[in-house]
C-alpha cells in the first residue's frame, strides 16, 4: 500500500471511529482489511481505498471500521471493577435511589457482551436486595458483528473458561456441544444498541454507572477529552465511571476525579462539593433506551 | 514457593502443565493415577492439585473423595482438568469438593485464570 493510501485510511478511521493508528501499522491494516476487500470482490488495499472514496459506499465503510476494532473481552475481566460494583457502587446507589428504585448502567464498549453479562450475573447474585427495583443495562458497540454475538449470548469453551467461575457457568449457562449460551433471563437484563462513541449521547438520558473500558486507549488525546466530557454530562452527579486497568482521567479532564482507594473507579468532580448538582433536565425527559 | 501436584496418565499433558505452572512459580510434583496421587498427598499435602478424570487404577473423582477424607485433605485447592466437558461431570466434580474445573483442551491463559479464581495466584 502506498503512503498516500495509508494516510487516507488513517484519516478515514480517525474520522469514522476515532481510531488512531501510529506510523507503522501497515501490517495491521493489511491483515484486517485484505479479507474485507476480498469479500467485496476487490483485489488489493489500493482498490479498497479507491472504492471507499466513491460516494455512498456506506456498507463497505462500515465493514472497514468494524474490521479495525479490537474486540477482545472476557467475563469478570480484571475482577476488581466488579468487586467495586457489588461492594460499593450498588450499595451506595441502593441507598441514594431508594425512592426512585431505578438504576441505569451503560457499557460503552460492550464488544461480544461479556462485560454487560458479568454485571447481569453480579446483579442476579444480589437479587434479594433488588426486589421492586428496575435496573437497566445498556450495552453499546460500534460493531454490528460483535453485537450480534452479544445478543446471542453464545460463547466457546475457551471463552467461558477465562474469568468465569465454574459455579457461575453451571448456574447461568446451558451447553450445546462445545458452546455455552447464557440463560434467557440474564439475556433479558441487557439491551443492545449499535453506537459510535463519536456520536451524540443526547438520546441516552442519564446513567448512574458507566463502564468505558479499554476503548479510550485507541483514541487520541482530543477525542479522549471530548468523550470523557460528554460522558460526564450524561451521568448522575453521584454516579460512577469505570475505566480500563491501563486508563485514567488524570491529566485529561477535570470532569472526573479518582474514587479514593478504588483503582480504575472515578466519580464526577461535582460530587466533591456535595452541592445539589444539575439534574440535566433537558435529558430527563428524553427517550429511555 | 507453592507446590502443585499434577495428576494425569498422559506424560505429554503432565509436561505441558508443568511448564505452565512452573512459569507461575509453582514447584511441581507428578502422579500418573489417583492411587499414586493419594500416596504423594499422604507424604506431603500440596497447595494445589491439577487433576485428570479418566486414569487407570484410581480415577480423579475417586481420588478426590479419598483426599477430602485425609487429615489435612481439605486444604489443597483441586482443579479438575479433563476432556469430560458436560454439565453432569462438572456438577459431580464440584459436589465431590473440586474447587475449579478446566475443560480440555486448555492453554496457559485458562490455567492462569482458574488458579487465580481459587486464590492460588
Amino acid at each position: 500500500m502506498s503512503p498516500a493510501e495509508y494516510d487516507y485510511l488513517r484519516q478515514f478511521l480517525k474520522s469514522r471511529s476515532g481510531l488512531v493508528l501510529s506510523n507503522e501499522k501497515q501490517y495491521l491494516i493489511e491483515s484486517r482489511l485484505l479479507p474485507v476487500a476480498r469479500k467485496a470482490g476487490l483485489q488489493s488495499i489500493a482498490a479498497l481505498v479507491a472504492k471507499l472514496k466513491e460516494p455512498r459506499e456506506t456498507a463497505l465503510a462500515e465493514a472497514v471500521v468494524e474490521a479495525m476494532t479490537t474486540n477482545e473481552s472476557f467475563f469478570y475481566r480484571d475482577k476488581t471493577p466488579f468487586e467495586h460494583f457489588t461492594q460499593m457502587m450498588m450499595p451506595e446507589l441502593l441507598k441514594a435511589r431508594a425512592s426512585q428504585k431505578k438504576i441505569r448502567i451503560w457499557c460503552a464498549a460492550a464488544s461480544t457482551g461479556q462485560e454487560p453479562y458479568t454485571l447481569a450475573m453480579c446483579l442476579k447474585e444480589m437479587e434479594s436486595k433488588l426486589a421492586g427495583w428496575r435496573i437497566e443495562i445498556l450495552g453499546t458497540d460500534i460493531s454490528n458483528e460483535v453485537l450480534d454475538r452479544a445478543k446471542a449470548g453464545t460463547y466457546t469453551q475457551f471463552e467461558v473458561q477465562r474469568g468465569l467461575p465454574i459455579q457461575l457457568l453451571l448456574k447461568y449457562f446451558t451447553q450445546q456441544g462445545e458452546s455455552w449460551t447464557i440463560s434467557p433471563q440474564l439475556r433479558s437484563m441487557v439491551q443492545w444498541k449499535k453506537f459510535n462513541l463519536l456520536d451524540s449521547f443526547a438520546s441516552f438520558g442519564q446513567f448512574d454507572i458507566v463502564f468505558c473500558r479499554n476503548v479510550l486507549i485507541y483514541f487520541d488525546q482530543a477525542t479522549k477529552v471530548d468523550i470523557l466530557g460528554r460522558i460526564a454530562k450524561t451521568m448522575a452527579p453521584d454516579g460512577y465511571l469505570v475505566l480500563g486497568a491501563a486508563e485514567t482521567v488524570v491529566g485529561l479532564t477535570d470532569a472526573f476525579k479518582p474514587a479514593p482507594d478504588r483503582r480504575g473507579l472515578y466519580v464526577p468532580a461535582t460530587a466533591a462539593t456535595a452541592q445539589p448538582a444539575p439534574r440535566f433536565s433537558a435529558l430527563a425527559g428524553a427517550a429511555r433506551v | 514457593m507453592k507446590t502443585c501436584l499434577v495428576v494425569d496418565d498422559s506424560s505429554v499433558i503432565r509436561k505441558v502443565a508443568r511448564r505452565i505452572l512452573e512459569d507461575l512459580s509453582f514447584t511441581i510434583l507428578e502422579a500418573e493415577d489417583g492411587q499414586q496421587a493419594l500416596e504423594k498427598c499422604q507424604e506431603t499435602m500440596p497447595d494445589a492439585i491439577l487433576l485428570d478424570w479418566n486414569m487407570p487404577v484410581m480415577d480423579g473423582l475417586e481420588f478426590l473423595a479419598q483426599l477430602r477424607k485425609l487429615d489435612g485433605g481439605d486444604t489443597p485447592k483441586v482443579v479438575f482438568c479433563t476432556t469430560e466437558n458436560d454439565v453432569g461431570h462438572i456438577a459431580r466434580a464440584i459436589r465431590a469438593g473440586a474447587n475449579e474445573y478446566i475443560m480440555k483442551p486448555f492453554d496457559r491463559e485458562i490455567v492462569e485464570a482458574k488458579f487465580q479464581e481459587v486464590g492460588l495466584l
Side-chain angles (χ1 to χ4, degrees), chain A residues 79 157-158 161 166 175, chain B residues 85 100 103-104 107 117:
Chain A
K79 274 208 181 324
Q157 185 168 293
F158 182 78
Q161 296 201 84
I166 197 75
Q175 184 181 27
Chain B
N85 67 355
E100 258 298 343
M103 297 174 269
K104 288 176 182 169
D107 64 5
E117 195 51 54

